[in-house]
Amino acid sequence: MTRILLSGCGRMGKLVADEAANFENLKTVYGVDSFLPDGLPFPVVADFESVDVPFDVIVDYSNPANFDSLLHFALAQKKPLVLCTTGLNEEMRQKVFAAAKEIPIFYSANMSLGIYVLTAVAKAASKMLGPGFDIEVQEAHHRNKVDAPSGTALQIAEALLQERDDLNTIVTDRYSSRQKRGNDEIGVSSLRGGSIPGQHTVTFAGPDEVIELTHTAYSPRVFATGALRAAAFLKDQAPGIYDMSHLLGL
Ligand SMILES: NC(=O)c1ccc[n+]([C@@H]2O[C@H](COP(=O)([O-])OP(=O)(O)OC[C@H]3O[C@@H](n4cnc5c(N)ncnc54)[C@H](O)[C@@H]3O)[C@@H](O)[C@H]2O)c1
């Protein structure tokens, strides 16, 4: 049995605990959440110092404000960490890579299999289409999402940037620059509203033709299930950074 410590017991944390019931070998044993939500079938404490039960893996769906204490705790306990919180800044990301020398960390802004496939297909399309097609990534999420653009949109754009030498920059704000689009850029734009769990579209706009690749999450449960699969996988791994490609054995 893999015992999960849940960091963040909000919307996603609750779904992770709920979905864990569908996995024979996974169980959420404890939660850490500064707001101490009620009604969960396991104890929840306000900080990591108060955790006093054995556990195997930490699954984090919290907030970047929680990042430093989370990483400190995971390193001190030498426990694997499934890091799903988005909106980490560059300094935090560097700390993730440094910590992965000591513990296994599964780090992905999107825990769905579909986004992994979308990114792979978009990379292949980008190579085939080449510089004649402008690339834009558009994302839509529910009205409560705090960070914009989504970590997933940035993750897709960064993957595409690395794929071709002629692409150099990600542009998230066209309003303040008021300039014509550059050949070497990937634009990323956001929509926020209602209860949309998450939609990402990669557009390749060429002369007289456009290709659009879209992934739509119809329920946030897909991210909860992905985090649980990652937790089961990570338990037995050596220190390092892992993502969906490792989980799928690719
Ligand atoms: N990687 C993915 O696939 C994926 C999917 C969905 C959401 N997310 C990300 O996961 C995070 C959580 O999303 P959510 O919808 O559950 O948000 P949420 O606001 O519903 O829940 C976050 C929880 O973290 C707790 N929290 C906030 N700050 C804290 C702190 N400093 N210390 C301890 N607990 C703290 C809050 O009390 C809350 O219960 C967000 O960053 C979101 O973008 C990632």
Side-chain angles (χ1 to χ4, degrees), residues 9 13 31 60 64 75 105 112 115 171 183-184 204 238:
C9 303
D60 173 67
L75 284 167
I105 300 182
S112 84
I115 283 289
V171 175
N183 290 337
D184 67 339
F204 297 90

Side-chain angles (χ1 to χ4, degrees), residues 22 60 65 104 116 126 150 190 217 226:
N22 298 326
D60 173 67
Y116 178 76
S126 170
S150 71
S190 307

Side-chain angles (χ1 to χ4, degrees), residues 68 108 127 201 232 235 240:
D68 281 330
S108 176
K127 253 184 161 168
T201 298
K235 186 185 166 208

Side-chain angles (χ1 to χ4, degrees), residues 7-13 32-37 46 60-67 69 83-87 108-112 142 145 147 152 220 223:
S7 163
C9 303
R11 188 183 72 117
M12 285 308 305
V32 179
D33 193 302
S34 50
F35 289 88
L36 290 173
D60 173 67
Y61 269 113
S62 61
N63 185 286
N66 191 35
F67 176 80
S69 48
L83 182 54
C84 308
T85 294
T86 60
S108 176
N110 194 297
M111 299 302 292
S112 84
H142 55 89
K145 186 165 177 61
D147 50 318
T152 303
F223 309 121

Side-chain angles (χ1 to χ4, degrees), residues 58 70-79 95 98-103 105:
I58 305 167
L70 166 72
L71 207 60
H72 179 77
F73 177 73
L75 284 167
Q77 298 283 322
K78 295 218 171 302
K79 294 292 184 192
K95 286 184 183 173
K101 293 183 177 133
E102 294 177 50
I103 54 172
I105 300 182

Side-chain angles (χ1 to χ4, degrees), residues 55-161:
F55 65 92
D56 302 300
V57 183
I58 305 167
V59 174
D60 173 67
Y61 269 113
S62 61
N63 185 286
N66 191 35
F67 176 80
D68 281 330
S69 48
L70 166 72
L71 207 60
H72 179 77
F73 177 73
L75 284 167
Q77 298 283 322
K78 295 218 171 302
K79 294 292 184 192
L81 170 63
V82 181
L83 182 54
C84 308
T85 294
T86 60
L88 303 188
N89 62 32
E90 190 48 37
E91 188 188 342
M92 291 167 171
R93 283 157 55 104
Q94 291 308 322
K95 286 184 183 173
V96 172
F97 287 97
K101 293 183 177 133
E102 294 177 50
I103 54 172
I105 300 182
F106 196 103
Y107 178 42
S108 176
N110 194 297
M111 299 302 292
S112 84
L113 174 62
I115 283 289
Y116 178 76
V117 173
L118 171 76
T119 308
V121 172
K123 277 162 75 172
S126 170
K127 253 184 161 168
M128 283 188 265
L129 294 167
F133 284 72
D134 297 324
I135 306 176
E136 294 279 317
V137 181
Q138 293 157 282
E139 55 99 352
H141 279 88
H142 55 89
R143 68 195 322 282
N144 294 319
K145 186 165 177 61
V146 183
D147 50 318
S150 71
T152 303
L154 292 171
Q155 186 174 288
I156 294 168
E158 275 162 21
L160 293 173
L161 211 60

